[in-house]
Structures are given as structure tokens and as C-alpha cells.
Amino acid sequence: MKDLLISLVVVVLIHELGHILMVMVFNKVEKRPLFDYFVSVDWKHVSIVHEKFARPSFNFFVALAGPVLPVICSSVLFSIWKHSFCHLLMFFSLLNTVMLHPALPDGRNITDSLNEMKGEK
């Protein structure tokens, strides 16, 4: 039970870290302050709040990085270290890709960004 809870928390943290890393990269590209974001935590959500980027592709990659980074990290760890904890990480990471659904925040941000990119052409 302890491993289950720890792996779930680790996947959530890596998910949010994915968003943070991409926000920091694009803040640097747009010459904004590097740490121009904040972490919002309430009883049922953890989110990274930042000013929307001028380029829709930047917003697309920020939204995509959250669900994808846990899958990449757990896949690498799984290939290096065959342990039952890695199986749990992989399970929650793959389950985390549900966040790409358009009804959920990351999926909605991706859909909005794609629509903005489509409208620019």
C-alpha cells in the first residue's frame, strides 16, 4: 500500500515538473523571468499557473510535457531497474496519459493551442 501511494505521488510530481521545465525553457526563450510561474495546490488539484505564451506552439508543448515526462522517466527507470515499484510507476505514468483527453485540463490546453495554430495559417 505504501509503494502504491508513493508511486502515485511521484508520478504527480514528475507530471508537474514536466510543466515547470517547459515553462522555464519558454520563459528563457521569450526573455521573461525564469521563475515566472507559481504552483497552485488545493484539496483536489495541483497546477502550474503561468502567463500564456505568445506562440501557441509553446503552450502546446507546456501542456504536453506534463503527461509525457512521467512516461519517459518511468520507461527509463523500468529498463534499468526491474523492481515492482517500477511497475507501479509505469502503471500510474500510463494512466496519467488520460490527462491528454480534451475534457481534462492538459488535453483542453492542447486542443486550444492546436486550434490557435490552425487559425494562424
Side-chain angles (χ1 to χ4, degrees):
M1 183 67 172
K2 181 179 73 169
D3 285 349
L4 192 70
L5 185 59
I6 290 171
S7 61
L8 177 63
V9 170
V10 166
V11 168
V12 169
L13 290 175
I14 294 172
H15 174 104
E16 297 305 326
L17 181 64
H19 292 308
I20 289 171
L21 291 173
M22 291 308 286
V23 167
M24 290 173 68
V25 166
F26 294 135
N27 279 345
K28 184 77 170 164
V29 170
E30 289 196 350
K31 300 197 182 346
R32 294 182 185 176
L34 193 62
F35 298 102
D36 189 20
Y37 65 88
F38 67 92
V39 180
S40 172
V41 180
D42 64 23
W43 67 278
K44 67 178 189 174
H45 294 104
V46 177
S47 61
I48 306 303
V49 180
H50 64 92
E51 186 178 327
K52 197 171 182 180
F53 292 105
R55 295 188 208 171
S57 60
F58 286 3
N59 297 314
F60 171 80
F61 286 113
V62 168
L64 187 64
V68 171
L69 188 63
V71 174
I72 293 169
C73 292
S74 62
S75 297
V76 169
L77 186 62
F78 185 78
S79 66
I80 294 171
W81 187 39
K82 304 284 188 203
H83 189 271
S84 62
F85 184 74
C86 294
H87 293 269
L88 288 171
L89 279 177
M90 182 63 81
F91 171 73
F92 283 123
S93 295
L94 293 173
L95 190 62
N96 181 48
T97 59
V98 168
M99 295 300 288
L100 295 171
H101 189 278
L104 298 171
D106 290 334
R108 188 175 20 232
N109 290 338
I110 289 170
T111 304
D112 292 345
S113 298
L114 289 172
N115 287 334
E116 285 180 43
M117 285 188 279
K118 183 180 172 185
E120 282 184 351
K121 293 182 180 180

